[in-house]
Amino acid sequence: SKELEDMQAQQTKDIKREIKDLEKTIKSLTADIETLEEKLPEAIRGEFAFSVDKLSAIISDKESLKKEKEIQKKSLQKQLEEISLQSNELMTFVEAMPKWNEIFSQADLQTKQMILSTLIDKIIVKDDDITIKFKIRLDNFLDEKLLENDGLDVPQQRLQLYDHVLHGI
């Protein structure tokens, strides 16, 4: 869970930085549009380097780019909200997962062997290293979690996130 929190904090930081950059770009485009619109009367009188059509086309392009950047900003803000929601859901999920150390320490020898065979895929022992490959899958806990939550399901996209995280650790 600590690694997940760090990962989500980094994602949040990156998204906030992108939003800040987009806001600067939007502000700059807004200033450009205002400046160009102020030049329209001069262009109409023929006192500006660009024709009215050319100036209108430039303004239109800048407005389109500004709208595109605003859409990107909204999308990033939505992602930020989703990350926050995922973080809250993940913490709830982690708290609901079985505490294997407690279960294991209170179990008899046969139960301990069964727990180990259920949790551990293989153990690799080398001269200076021991590697334990776990075979824990989210699917193993889903049915139990549904029973604990009176049949309320965890959204599928959240399951994919949790499954990815559990297998990546």
Side-chain angles (χ1 to χ4, degrees):
S1 63
K2 175 68 174 137
E3 289 179 27
L4 291 175
E5 287 176 23
D6 292 344
M7 182 179 72
Q8 288 176 334
Q10 183 62 41
Q11 281 181 324
T12 301
K13 182 179 174 183
D14 292 344
I15 290 174
K16 284 182 178 179
R17 186 178 337 107
E18 285 183 57
I19 289 173
K20 190 174 183 178
D21 291 345
L22 284 172
E23 287 173 343
K24 286 180 184 178
T25 303
I26 291 169
K27 186 176 180 179
S28 174
L29 287 169
T30 301
D32 289 351
I33 291 168
E34 289 173 0
T35 302
L36 291 169
E37 285 175 344
E38 289 174 3
K39 299 296 181 183
L40 278 172
E42 292 177 31
I44 291 171
R45 290 190 304 263
E47 299 170 357
F48 192 69
F50 296 125
S51 69
V52 174
D53 292 337
K54 179 71 174 173
L55 196 54
S56 294
I58 294 171
I59 291 172
S60 178
D61 290 344
K62 297 244 181 211
E63 286 175 342
S64 296
L65 186 58
K66 179 183 168 189
K67 286 178 185 177
E68 181 182 311
K69 297 297 181 185
E70 287 172 342
I71 290 170
Q72 288 176 357
K73 179 183 169 189
K74 286 179 183 178
S75 174
L76 287 172
Q77 288 172 329
K78 187 174 180 179
Q79 284 180 1
L80 204 56
E81 291 171 10
E82 288 177 5
I83 288 172
S84 177
L85 181 63
Q86 288 174 356
S87 178
N88 293 337
E89 288 178 357
L90 181 62
M91 289 303 114
T92 302
F93 181 76
V94 167
E95 291 171 8
M97 287 185 67
K99 306 291 186 233
W100 291 112
N101 59 343
E102 294 171 14
I103 294 170
F104 187 80
S105 64
Q106 297 171 359
D108 59 30
L109 183 60
Q110 287 180 329
T111 305
K112 287 180 181 181
Q113 289 174 339
M114 189 264 319
I115 289 172
L116 289 175
S117 69
T118 302
L119 296 176
I120 298 174
D121 184 31
K122 61 182 160 183
I123 300 174
I124 303 168
V125 180
K126 297 181 182 175
D127 290 336
D128 60 348
D129 187 36
I130 296 176
T131 304
I132 301 173
K133 302 271 184 183
F134 291 95
K135 58 181 175 183
I136 300 173
R137 292 193 49 86
L138 182 64
D139 303 340
N140 297 347
F141 307 111
L142 182 58
D143 293 335
E144 184 176 325
K145 180 160 176 44
L146 287 175
L147 290 175
E148 290 173 4
N149 291 329
D150 297 326
L152 297 176
D153 197 356
V154 179
Q156 188 64 32
Q157 62 187 14
R158 305 293 187 253
L159 290 178
Q160 291 170 352
L161 169 71
Y162 302 145
D163 193 41
H164 171 72
V165 169
L166 285 175
H167 286 63
I169 294 177

